[in-house]
Amino acid sequence: MTTLDPWGAVKIDNYSKLFEEFGISRFDELLGKIPNPHRYMRRHIIFGHRSYDTVLEAMLSGKPFAAMSGFMPSGKAHLGHKMVMEEIIWHQQQGGSAFLAIADREAHAVRGISWEKCRELGINEYILSAIALGLEPGAHIYFQSKSNLVKDLAFELGIKANFSELSAIYGFTGETNVAHMISALTQSADILQPQLKEFRGPKPTVVPVGADQDPHIRLTRGLAYKMNMFMVEEREGTEGAYVSVRGKAAPKEALKEIAKRTGGRLYEEHVDVPKSNLTEVESTVRQVELRYGGYAFIPPASTYHKFMTGLQGGKMSSSIPESYIALTDPPEEGAKKVMRAKTGGRVTLEEQKVKGGEPDKCSVYELLLFHLVENDNELKEYYRDCVGGTRVCGVCKKHAAELMKKFLKEHQEKRELAKLRLPEFGIKSDGQIEV
Ligand code: TRP
Ligand code: SF4
């Protein structure tokens, strides 16, 4: 007998390469430790992570942590953007500080969108929807072009990134415009900004992204290592394991202090600390590094979620309006898109009653799973009834369309309220952001 799996629509078979070849860890390993997991976590839509344990540890012990993401103001905010916004908001609700960048430098350099249009789309599409979805004041919302901290950090990061590395990740060639390259570094600066002393960093920071965004995360993690004064790692010696602290360009005084505080042996450019705990040494090194003016970045963590497929099958793409539902689509229009969506239904009703539907191949089921049904048991019931042939597509679609209409209507009402609340987020009524 095949087992029924209500989360089957998001099978991770296709993602196993990510685990094996790219060193992404399975989110399942951490799931049991999360007190109040988000719907995307419970349903294995978030399937992978890099060093999310650092964030979780902070969350569980009441220490500071942050969640951040950026949005390119180049079009409409849709259900895919909603996923990222909800993940940021969930972390804010768990006690983290939330950061939301409007990537106007990127939109301007890469898509040629005017600054004025960036501002308009940034506020109307992304910021209002994020607030309507539950982002609370205290969140740091900013435009890249208006943040000196981000721009200065991007420049610093540029010292540690070279053209070959960036071109391997982003496909840059000799024809690529230089501002495009700068906007790639700006994205890394967005990710590391929460860790600056201006935001009482360093602190664990998570960037929730789609699986295809991993190269950016790897680049930023690499830059975080390179920016730091010291490299701390566990090593194996003749007398067993020890922790080595290397700081080639670090002030001698700083190395000396590390040796003193950890009880380690001091060499020309490194300190060896026998019989020590990696995390403890790391924490001491971080304190010393900060006193000597270093960044002491913690490599940023990430979580990876699966993508929704387009409503018509295929990919969800902003150039095909029928493939996605925008958060500002008129509710009736959103409902119609659901009615026109590709289902996992059989050719005839008789066949469906006998064989059952295929929710794993159904974009309507995907909407229920990702967005429209919060209660797991209720969703399981729909799944069972579909597979058992008692839930048929006509009725099911109408149900999903109603839920979508209700969601869009309520969301858009909340967006109207959000307009009045912009000043609470440091955004003046004329759309200027106070930095
Ligand atoms: N590059 C992202 C996009 O194309 C936007 C972005 C800018 C971003 N800064 C970021 C995403 C920081 C995650 C983290 O949409
Ligand atoms: Fe999809 Fe619903 Fe049809 Fe099942 S009954 S295939 S979930 S539309």
Side-chain angles (χ1 to χ4, degrees):
M1 201 187 99
T2 50
T3 50
L4 293 186
D5 174 10
W7 323 137
V10 287
K11 281 223 170 63
I12 56 171
D13 301 353
N14 303 336
Y15 294 92
S16 58
K17 208 171 135 189
L18 289 173
F19 298 127
E20 279 136 37
E21 283 178 34
F22 295 103
I24 291 178
S25 307
R26 290 171 195 269
F27 199 77
D28 280 1
E29 297 159 7
L30 302 177
L31 196 54
K33 298 183 195 159
I34 303 175
N36 177 24
H38 188 270
R39 174 172 86 250
Y40 298 144
M41 298 174 173
R42 301 195 308 267
R43 297 180 184 176
H44 307 292
I45 291 167
I46 294 175
F47 67 93
H49 74 97
R50 283 187 194 274
S51 69
Y52 188 70
D53 27 347
T54 57
V55 174
L56 190 54
E57 203 266 325
M59 194 188 298
L60 294 177
S61 56
K63 291 190 204 125
F65 66 96
M68 95 78 43
S69 189
F71 299 91
M72 182 150 57
S74 61
K76 290 200 156 293
H78 53 60
L79 294 177
H81 298 110
K82 169 176 174 277
M83 291 179 69
V84 176
M85 292 175 186
E86 286 184 286
E87 291 173 58
I88 301 289
I89 292 164
W90 181 86
H91 282 92
Q92 187 183 37
Q93 289 164 350
Q94 312 310 307
S97 45
F99 286 72
L100 195 153
I102 299 299
D104 58 346
R105 283 200 133 186
E106 191 176 341
H108 188 63
V110 182
R111 302 278 172 88
I113 296 172
S114 73
W115 295 113
E116 202 186 321
K117 188 78 186 158
C118 282
R119 171 156 291 278
E120 196 259 312
L121 288 174
I123 293 179
N124 284 327
E125 286 296 323
Y126 299 90
I127 298 176
L128 287 180
S129 275
I131 297 172
L133 288 169
L135 194 71
E136 288 291 333
H140 183 67
I141 302 177
Y142 65 97
F143 283 74
Q144 288 175 330
S145 69
K146 294 280 184 285
S147 168
N148 283 331
L149 280 176
V150 163
K151 289 187 286 186
D152 289 350
L153 180 55
F155 188 82
E156 291 287 343
L157 295 176
I159 299 171
K160 299 290 179 189
N162 65 36
F163 178 73
S164 319
E165 190 183 11
L166 292 186
S167 67
I169 293 174
Y170 297 92
F172 293 163
T173 69
E175 314 302 311
T176 307
N177 78 64
V178 175
H180 188 166
M181 302 183 201
I182 296 176
S183 70
L185 292 172
T186 309
Q187 168 160 336
S188 287
D190 285 330
I191 294 174
L192 293 171
Q193 174 179 240
Q195 301 205 52
L196 295 178
K197 61 177 186 310
E198 285 81 355
F199 291 101
R200 287 194 257 153
K203 60 179 154 232
T205 304
V206 60
V207 191
V209 295
D212 65 327
Q213 298 292 306
D214 186 51
H216 312 312
I217 300 292
R218 288 214 309 268
L219 170 72
T220 310
R221 285 169 64 88
L223 288 173
Y225 279 115
K226 287 186 208 163
M227 294 299 284
N228 288 350
M229 217 173 243
F230 298 103
M231 205 170 86
V232 187
E233 57 187 2
E234 224 153 12
R235 294 196 168 190
E236 203 55 52
T238 43
E239 287 157 46
Y242 65 99
V243 175
S244 141
V245 183
R246 315 204 136 254
K248 223 174 172 166
K252 291 285 163 280
E253 286 306 306
L255 260 182
K256 236 189 241 168
E257 188 173 331
I258 288 171
K260 201 167 130 212
R261 287 181 55 177
T262 57
R265 218 169 300 145
L266 179 66
Y267 296 90
E268 191 61 20
E269 288 175 353
H270 71 282
V271 172
D272 284 345
V273 199
K275 295 195 192 59
S276 54
N277 170 303
L278 180 68
T279 342
E280 269 166 35
V281 175
E282 273 175 345
S283 145
T284 308
V285 168
R286 208 165 278 132
Q287 288 164 22
V288 174
E289 174 163 345
L290 286 171
R291 289 217 301 117
Y292 283 86
Y295 288 103
F297 287 133
I298 299 167
S302 50
T303 55
Y304 301 94
H305 57 238
K306 293 166 194 170
F307 296 112
M308 290 178 40
T309 39
L311 293 174
Q312 305 290 327
K315 259 186 90 172
M316 193 161 88
S317 156
S318 45
S319 54
I320 316 171
E322 276 297 299
S323 74
Y324 68 87
I325 291 174
L327 296 174
T328 49
D329 273 348
E332 284 296 342
E333 186 51 39
K336 276 190 198 146
K337 284 186 183 174
V338 176
M339 291 306 289
R340 289 195 290 261
K342 178 184 160 287
T343 72
R346 307 288 177 174
V347 181
T348 65
L349 193 59
E350 285 69 46
E351 192 187 346
Q352 181 144 353
K353 285 190 172 156
V354 177
K355 290 190 183 160
E358 297 183 286
D360 300 354
K361 296 180 184 164
C362 175
S363 59
V364 176
Y365 183 72
E366 220 180 47
L367 288 173
L368 300 172
L369 173 72
F370 278 64
H371 297 285
L372 298 175
V373 179
E374 183 61 38
N375 184 299
D376 288 352
N377 288 328
E378 189 184 333
L379 187 71
K380 277 181 194 161
E381 202 174 300
Y382 299 149
Y383 185 91
R384 266 200 309 264
D385 292 350
C386 169
V387 172
T390 54
R391 189 174 172 90
V392 292
C393 296
V395 179
C396 183
K397 268 194 197 181
K398 261 202 205 110
H399 177 211
E402 273 311 309
L403 291 175
M404 182 57 75
K405 196 162 104 184
K406 182 164 176 280
F407 163 73
L408 289 173
K409 187 169 170 283
E410 287 173 5
H411 179 69
Q412 289 164 20
E413 283 163 10
K414 289 182 193 155
R415 281 173 47 92
E416 288 307 313
L417 295 178
K419 283 181 189 164
L420 308 172
R421 292 183 60 208
L422 283 173
E424 289 175 51
F425 293 82
I427 302 168
K428 295 187 203 143
S429 48
D430 66 352
Q432 291 293 340
I433 288 201
E434 287 176 77
V435 206

